[in-house]
Amino acid sequence: MTITQLIYVLAVAEHKNFTLAAEKTFVTQPTLSMQIQKLEEELEVQIFDRSTKPIQPTAIGQVIIQQAKKIVNESDRIKDLIDLEKGFIGGEFKLGMIPTIAPTLLPMFLKTFLNKYNKVNLIIEEYTTEEIIQKLRNGYLDAAIVATPLEESDIKERVLFYEPFVGYVPANFRQEMGAELHQGDLDLRKLLLLQDGHCFRDGIINICNSKSTAESKNFKLQSGSFETLINLSKEGLGYTLLPYLHTLSLNQDDKNNLIQFADPKPAREISLIYTDNELKLQIINALYEVILSIIRGAIAFQDVKIISPKKNQ
């Protein structure tokens, strides 16, 4: 049994396909298949049921996969321990981000971080918050940037900034609003929301007044794009809320449709998160400091009310 064989097993378990698993581990499909078969022969068990589509682990295979995760994670940490002892800031680092943060935050800090820490191989992947939590626990991600608080006992949260919600309200809905938005002004029946699964959607629902707890539009929107929400708003189909950083890149016509909330402004808390046993702290600290130094100049709001990103809060 080798660490490499266990890595191949984990790749197949994740992607549920031998060909895709081989691509992700940078080997040929026959090589990957042969190594997994050798491991099965050594253990005298079948790890995967190859007759199913997609491929699924057998009952004993699930047990082996869980143990393989622990073994591979611990083997990876040997190098992490050495780097930590030496104070070396470099190597591969997998960072997760939720889709409603990545497009605006990444361009602000990525170039600066890579220029300052050019020995870090930063791999950035977008996932929902639920997926990020799971991948952090499995050791697939080293850290992530998400909306908090999550209140997960095994995950540490380091707050980066508070990002206010901003109303995007076209002229035909302005008669319902004043110069500033108040939480009681919002009607969930007229709000255009991102598709289910986005914590930004859940945060907006938590902002809304309890008197409007159900959507009653005669269409259902399944979109993860703020641009789609803006365009539908301009067509008179409703209004929406946007994260503050997203509003900075809007054209002037769109900025004319923005309404700020009255103080305290409802806001989402954005944090860098990682597990308790994370050893790549030197990279986490560097990432935190770079983002913090840049974002301070972009968001100056102080009087905010943190809205939970979790459902039914």
Side-chain angles (χ1 to χ4, degrees), residues 49-68:
D49 182 354
R50 293 161 174 79
S51 65
T52 61
K53 299 293 181 182
I55 291 170
Q56 297 293 334
T58 61
I60 188 63
Q62 291 177 340
V63 175
I64 292 170
I65 288 164
Q66 289 305 312
Q67 188 61 30

Side-chain angles (χ1 to χ4, degrees), residues 174-217:
R174 286 297 179 105
Q175 65 272 17
E176 306 173 25
M177 314 292 184
E180 292 182 311
L181 276 179
H182 297 82
Q183 291 186 218
D185 295 336
L186 300 177
D187 187 341
L188 193 55
R189 294 167 297 181
K190 298 176 183 178
L191 263 172
L192 297 169
L193 302 172
L194 295 176
Q195 65 192 28
D196 201 13
H198 286 271
C199 60
F200 191 81
R201 171 195 175 96
D202 297 328
I204 290 176
I205 292 173
N206 291 336
I207 292 174
C208 289
N209 193 295
S210 59
K211 70 181 180 182
S212 56
T213 57
E215 299 173 73
S216 61
K217 305 179 188 69

Side-chain angles (χ1 to χ4, degrees), residues 94-105:
K94 289 187 176 181
L95 178 69
M97 297 185 77
I98 57 176
T100 59
I101 292 177
T104 51
L105 185 59

Side-chain angles (χ1 to χ4, degrees), residues 95-98 101 105 109 132 143-147 160 270-272 291:
L95 178 69
M97 297 185 77
I98 57 176
I101 292 177
L105 185 59
F109 79 84
I132 282 173
I145 299 175
V146 301
L160 290 165
I270 304 300
S271 299
L272 182 64
I291 296 174

